[in-house]
Amino acid sequence: MNLKEFSHRIGLSPTTVSRALNGYPEVSERTRRKVLESAERLGYTPNSRAARLATGRAMTIGHILPLSKEHEMVNPIFSDFIAGAGEQYSRSGYDLSLSVVRDEDEAEAYRDLATRGVVDGVVIHGPKVEDPRIRLLGDLGLPFVVHGRSSRVHGEYNWVDVNNRRAFSRATEFLLDLGHRRIGLINGLDGMDFATRRLNGYSDALEARGIARDPELVFSGEMTENYGFATTLQMLDSRNPPTAFLISSIIPAMGARRALHDRGIGLGDEVSVVIHDDDLSYFRNDGDVPIFTATRSSVREAGRLCADILLDSIRDAQGERRHVLLEADLTVGQSTGPAPAMRHLLGRDQADAPRGLAR
Amino acid sequence: MNLKEFSHRIGLSPTTVSRALNGYPEVSERTRRKVLESAERLGYTPNSRAARLATGRAMTIGHILPLSKEHEMVNPIFSDFIAGAGEQYSRSGYDLSLSVVRDEDEAEAYRDLATRGVVDGVVIHGPKVEDPRIRLLGDLGLPFVVHGRSSRVHGEYNWVDVNNRRAFSRATEFLLDLGHRRIGLINGLDGMDFATRRLNGYSDALEARGIARDPELVFSGEMTENYGFATTLQMLDSRNPPTAFLISSIIPAMGARRALHDRGIGLGDEVSVVIHDDDLSYFRNDGDVPIFTATRSSVREAGRLCADILLDSIRDAQGERRHVLLEADLTVGQSTGPAPAMRHLLGRDQADAPRGLAR
DNA sequence: GCAGAACTTGAAACCGCTTTGAACAATGAA
DNA sequence: TTCATTGTTCAAAGCGGTTTCAAGTTCTGC
């Protein structure tokens, strides 16, 4: 049933019905009730396609999911982010449009969304250092928010980011305080802005203690389980292995744990691990004492915040650009302990403790 | 720029331009080339909102992502499935609309998508036994495809499923052949159709060998790492622990591995594990010899197939309903070996082999 | 009782595209 | 040359809503 028929059936004009349904003030309460009740009873719902054309608003937010050709991998934090953002969209009557594109087509995909008029705004995922998408969207005049930030990009834009630098410098300091001097960094893909900031945090902390950064202890790559496994093994098998690892996500941390296990090295006693934990719903690092010592920041919450900011920004195009910097607090879990060389000094040598029973 | 202005500028009528752009045959090649070239040059792209209203097609496929209230968890296979399906949508000029809703609102969400006319078809994820959504969508007259199947639902509908029963009976047989008699099953959530079929496959295989199924060895739950950990631990610590585990996903398998490690039990020698592997992009169980012995079936590929079937079904509403049953082949990895009691019989007792170095 | 303000309601234009039906031009057959 | 056919193009009528502008009603205050 369309508006014309519905309004005719209940003896009102399309104008009045439209107003009643959209909450305009110039319709009397009595009429509005009648319209709402009749719509419910007769099962009338306005056709969104028509409303979108008439209003010029798409009532839709766009997300682009680029697939890297080599790895064909989907960012594992994507679904939790979407869950957070999607909740907010629903609440505000917005739909979410997801475009899956090969990564070399990403810029074109944004252009396309803008000119076809199918979205009112977009979210930029996984910004790189000097990310060109920010400039592009500014030029297109399409409202957007970045999940993360992009170093060396001038101009204001909406973003929600974790204080990656602080998180990683704190995590590094924590390990240094435990006596670790050789700390491996298993980081995200080179060029990703968050990875750069994490590396900086790590470097800062080392430098502050006068410790030279060993390039053989720093790795970057896509954060798979296999990547965590391979890099950990490589470092463990080197002439001068680290006594601690800093890992950018819980997924490669699974691989690191496997590598330690394969080498018969105890996690939390012989070797320490600190991870950054995005609080993925299917991979919670919680419990009384979490498995991993971690800097935690919920990516789901970041999704909610991004959505809120973007929706605001669409409603009020003149408003100021907004920024949210989330602090990731360090939670001590079972995966960290004093550096081996320090342990007898502290009277807690656990070299003979059963493997696998962390601390 | 809109069609009216564009067509005026190039000295043609809107009709001809529209036809040229949409590939209709009644426009001459010369004119078509001119239109396409001018559109490129002047940067004209038709407004999709208007096209959708005019054609009555939304050119969009809907996916609903329900969030369970208790767990607030997103199915970890979701993103890979979407990646596969999304690729196909893009290829065919379709958009993907994702609705995030609380699970008790799911039925309403389908109704809403249908009446608002924002999608031409939907994909049903995670069907339960006797899933009411299938009936609902039939009634709504909205084309759909199910990723999975639903037992005890009458009538024809499109589906793409893994042969879960066969996969799990084969996996069970494989373990039985290795001499295992007590096999723990760490399954998906009760009521999920796939979980039921897997349980059946497991039961069938046991029964065929005259082995009674011990209810204390069967668990069902949401497939998180913690769930795998907790259930494995519980079984290991029971009076009569299993010597092998069958696990419904690689994620709880991570938890199982952790539990085994915590108890100092060697994976692949003292205890065997077979998993079902959805071939998640960030969690590949590959390599020369995969970590886990697994029944594998790519969920990404399932996404592609679902998309293809649904798009066909939209184009040809009269066409037959289609079914695809994917066989999951069993790949032997490092996580399985003869049952402990059998090992000396086979002259391969590895009880003293270093832990963690599976076979 | 009446003018003017404050409410309500409706007719019609419009959003930007697609598509029907008609017109016109070019081609071919008779 | 003429008529039928085929090929091309266009004017206008949708698609199903929203919104402007005008008109009709009901209140107020005097």
Side-chain angles (χ1 to χ4, degrees), chain B residues 21-163:
Chain B
L21 257 25
N22 291 305
Y24 281 74
E26 56 271 74
V27 54
S28 76
E29 260 328 297
R30 212 169 59 83
T31 308
R32 187 190 308 280
R33 258 201 306 282
K34 174 177 164 188
V35 171
L36 289 171
E37 184 266 317
S38 308
E40 176 74 26
R41 188 165 42 79
L42 301 176
Y44 169 70
T45 315
N47 181 308
S48 295
R49 289 194 306 264
R52 287 167 182 187
L53 174 58
T55 58
R57 278 173 284 139
M59 294 306 286
T60 301
I61 303 299
H63 287 250
I64 290 187
L65 181 56
L67 293 182
S68 59
K69 214 174 209 161
E70 316 119 72
H71 319 266
E72 290 260 308
M73 139 148 186
V74 183
N75 192 335
I77 68 166
F78 188 76
S79 55
D80 269 286
F81 182 92
I82 285 285
E87 272 179 276
Q88 303 306 90
Y89 298 152
S90 300
R91 216 181 289 263
S92 301
Y94 275 75
D95 286 335
L96 158 42
S97 163
L98 190 57
S99 309
V100 178
V101 302
R102 289 177 308 174
D103 57 2
E104 71 265 31
D105 299 334
E106 195 177 344
E108 193 49 38
Y110 282 109
R111 273 208 194 77
D112 193 57
L113 287 182
T115 56
R116 283 166 53 218
V118 287
V119 302
D120 299 319
V122 296
V123 174
I124 295 187
H125 293 277
K128 299 183 178 49
V129 173
E130 263 181 292
D131 199 297
R133 292 174 291 178
I134 293 172
R135 174 74 194 281
L136 171 64
L137 286 166
D139 292 350
L140 290 171
L142 192 63
F144 67 97
V145 59
V146 182
H147 177 212
R149 273 174 292 177
S150 183
S151 308
R152 287 188 264 149
V153 164
H154 53 285
E156 276 287 314
Y157 55 89
N158 296 308
W159 54 259
V160 173
D161 199 4
V162 172
N163 195 339

Side-chain angles (χ1 to χ4, degrees), chain A residues 3 15 18-19 22 24 44 54:
Chain A
L3 174 59
T15 312
S18 174
R19 282 180 179 140
N22 290 305
Y24 281 74
Y44 170 70

Side-chain angles (χ1 to χ4, degrees), chain A residues 187-245:
Chain A
N187 206 353
L189 210 51
D190 225 16
M192 298 300 285
D193 194 78
F194 80 87
T196 305
R197 290 178 197 270
R198 289 177 183 181
L199 175 60
N200 288 340
Y202 164 84
S203 302
D204 287 355
L206 290 179
E207 198 178 330
R209 304 277 177 109
I211 298 173
R213 171 153 71 82
D214 181 348
E216 305 226 321
L217 294 184
V218 175
F219 288 80
S220 46
E222 269 188 347
M223 297 193 287
T224 62
E225 203 264 0
N226 281 330
Y227 162 65
F229 177 75
T231 50
T232 303
L233 219 50
Q234 184 174 338
M235 285 190 262
L236 288 177
D237 292 347
S238 67
R239 319 136 293 321
N240 191 4
T243 62
F245 295 87

Side-chain angles (χ1 to χ4, degrees), chain A residues 64-132:
Chain A
I64 290 187
L65 180 57
L67 293 182
S68 59
K69 213 174 211 162
E70 316 119 72
H71 319 267
E72 288 261 309
M73 138 147 185
V74 184
N75 192 335
I77 68 167
F78 189 76
S79 56
D80 270 286
F81 182 92
I82 285 285
E87 273 179 277
Q88 303 305 90
Y89 298 151
S90 300
R91 215 181 290 263
S92 301
Y94 275 76
D95 286 335
L96 160 40
S97 162
L98 189 56
S99 310
V100 178
V101 302
R102 288 177 309 173
D103 57 1
E104 71 264 31
D105 298 335
E106 194 177 345
E108 193 50 36
Y110 282 110
R111 272 209 194 77
D112 193 56
L113 287 181
T115 56
R116 282 166 53 217
V118 288
V119 302
D120 299 318
V122 296
V123 174
I124 296 187
H125 294 277
K128 300 184 177 49
V129 172
E130 262 180 293
D131 199 297

